[in-house]
Every structure is written in C-alpha cells, then in structure tokens.
Amino acid sequence: MTNDCQYILDYLDCEYELFENTNDGAFIVEAYERMSKQGKQDGFIPLIIVVSNVLAEMFEYVLEEIEDEPSPDRIHYFRQQVIKDAMQIHVPQLLEQRWKDSIADEDEFDDEHSDLYGDFIPAVAEHELYSYLNGTVPYSEIIIARIPTMAAWELAAWVPMGGFNDCPPPEEQVAVFKYWYDHYGAIPAIVSHDTWELKLTLPPADNHVAELLAREHFAFCSDRVYQAEESTATIRSLASHLKHSTAWYFWWD
C-alpha cells in the first residue's frame, strides 16, 4: 500500500476493500454492487475511490485548514459543516449562476437555438460506470470505501475534492447531489481527483426533461460539453444521451 493510499484511508477511517494493480473493471463493479446490497442492510454506501497523489494532497489541504490537531473528531466536524453549508444552498439558483458564468464570454449562447444548444440526435442510453474501469490500464490502487451514511449526497463531504478551476467546492457538490438524488435517485459511485460518476434509478424519459437536466449538467461541469466528444458537444446532444441513462460522468480539466 502506498503512502497516498494509507493517508486517504486514515482520513476516511471507515471499512474498505482495496484493489491493487487491476484493470478488471467488471470485478470491481461486481464488488461495488455486492457492497451496495449489503450496505442497505448494514447502513453504509460504497464509494469507489481512485487513489492518486493529487487526491491525497486534497485531503492534506483539508487537514491543514482544520484548526487544532486534525483528530477524527475535527474531521467529523468538518464533514458536518460542509453538509450544513450545503443545506443552505438553493440549488436551482446556484446552477443558474454557474450557467451564466460558463457562458459569460459567449453572448450568442443565450439564444436557445444557438450552436451550444444544437439538436437532439439518436443516442444509446448509458448504464455502465466508465472512468478507470474500462480495462485498458491497470490502476495501482482503487478503494471501495464503506461510507457510514445512508444519505448518498453526503459522500461528497467525505471525499473533499473540488474547489479548483471550475470544479465546485464540496458543499456545492453535496447540495447538487442531494438535488439530483431527490429528482433522479442519483447516487455518487466513483470519485477521483478530477471526476465524479453517479448511478441513478429515475432517468429522464422525454426530451424536455432531458434537456433541462443537460443544462444542469453543463452548469455543474461545463467541460461535459465544452471538452466532450462530438456526440455530446451540445446541450441537446448531451440530453439525447442522458435520456434513459442510469450512469452519469463528470470531469473537470
């Protein structure tokens, strides 16, 4: 086990399984699904965490910001404060402001018929977790942590990535994840230093709702469109993929 992995595990201070030097994504997903079923009975939610030195540095930054000695009690207090702050956020207002900030230099994007909106396209719904599990590269360490909560949105307070570039800080992530949990049954499933993936049970079933959701995804993570593949490089093409999909992916450059 690397020092970075040990550092993250010490910070989390919860039960876990560790996978080392594997590119068998199916095996990891099977373990995740097994733990998801177990967690409903035992009171935890599993979270796949991709270990890296950058992620460990984000944890270290949080510990440096905590006053006094960063004991388990102080880390618990930090998490609860993030969640408390998140509950004060009006998510539609937050996403609307992030939308405006993302298109601030692109006035033509205000027109719903602009190139940013584009057109609906034929698309296949996505149901598979994507990043780090595609079997092409072995990753030295992947943790599946048993986060001791049944409030799925709180997972973003346990893994405090974000607050860099355009990536929302943890309290905004918690707020948005709760909003999407309430509307779509979305649960965070995978996190790295610059990605989140969510699984959901209530995907949008028509173009109108999917377009509204795609607009929220863009506001939360504009790279989801700006740096996407051609098939999801507009709001409506992204909406076409989100319709009926039960897996979401976000990445911040």
Side-chain angles (χ1 to χ4, degrees):
M1 182 185 299
T2 64
N3 290 336
D4 291 329
C5 185
Q6 187 64 64
Y7 193 88
I8 291 170
L9 290 173
D10 289 344
Y11 179 96
L12 292 172
D13 190 26
C14 66
E15 295 183 355
Y16 66 92
E17 289 188 23
L18 176 63
F19 302 83
E20 298 179 279
N21 297 312
T22 180
N23 61 352
D24 188 347
F27 180 70
I28 294 173
V29 170
E30 286 173 6
Y32 170 81
E33 292 175 346
R34 168 175 49 81
M35 285 190 229
S36 294
K37 294 177 181 177
Q38 180 186 351
K40 292 176 182 178
Q41 297 178 343
D42 295 347
F44 69 85
I45 298 176
L47 178 64
I48 299 171
I49 302 172
V50 182
V51 175
S52 69
N53 65 318
V54 178
L55 185 62
E57 287 173 0
M58 291 179 176
F59 281 66
E60 183 178 2
Y61 175 78
V62 168
L63 292 178
E64 290 174 351
E65 291 296 304
I66 294 176
E67 297 177 1
D68 304 320
E69 189 68 22
S71 64
D73 287 343
R74 294 298 301 174
I75 294 171
H76 174 76
Y77 176 81
F78 166 80
R79 290 177 186 138
Q80 294 307 307
Q81 190 61 48
V82 169
I83 294 166
K84 181 180 178 181
D85 292 345
M87 296 306 102
Q88 305 303 311
I89 295 173
H90 185 262
V91 173
Q93 186 176 48
L94 169 68
L95 293 176
E96 182 63 23
Q97 186 57 55
R98 287 183 61 86
W99 165 271
K100 291 177 180 177
D101 292 343
S102 294
I103 63 173
D105 297 326
E106 304 290 348
D107 293 337
E108 69 273 17
F109 287 173
D110 289 334
D111 178 1
E112 69 176 34
H113 301 294
S114 71
D115 290 342
L116 176 64
Y117 275 87
D119 298 311
F120 291 100
I121 62 172
V124 177
E126 182 60 63
H127 303 293
E128 301 297 328
L129 295 171
Y130 173 74
S131 65
Y132 308 102
L133 305 178
N134 60 8
T136 59
V137 179
Y139 292 89
S140 58
E141 294 167 315
I142 292 180
I143 298 164
I144 304 184
R146 296 182 176 94
I147 307 297
T149 179
M150 294 306 292
W153 53 91
E154 293 181 358
L155 271 58
W158 280 74
V159 181
M161 60 82 76
F164 61 89
N165 295 339
D166 193 44
C167 184
E171 62 273 15
E172 292 184 5
Q173 294 178 19
V174 170
V176 173
F177 289 170
K178 184 179 188 305
Y179 181 78
W180 283 337
Y181 177 86
D182 291 342
H183 286 79
Y184 302 102
I187 296 177
I190 302 179
V191 64
S192 74
H193 72 279
D194 62 357
T195 61
W196 273 106
E197 291 192 55
L198 282 67
K199 293 284 286 182
L200 58 148
T201 56
L202 301 169
D206 62 68
N207 285 350
H208 175 68
V209 176
E211 182 176 334
L212 293 176
L213 177 61
R215 198 176 187 272
E216 293 176 353
H217 277 216
F218 173 84
F220 184 67
C221 176
S222 60
D223 284 345
R224 189 67 182 86
V225 170
Y226 283 153
Q227 299 200 38
E229 297 178 356
E230 185 176 352
S231 62
T232 57
T234 66
I235 296 296
R236 291 190 180 117
S237 62
L238 174 59
S240 301
H241 285 270
L242 292 177
K243 192 167 65 171
H244 303 300
S245 289
T246 58
W248 295 345
Y249 172 80
F250 302 97
W251 167 70
W252 293 269
D253 187 9

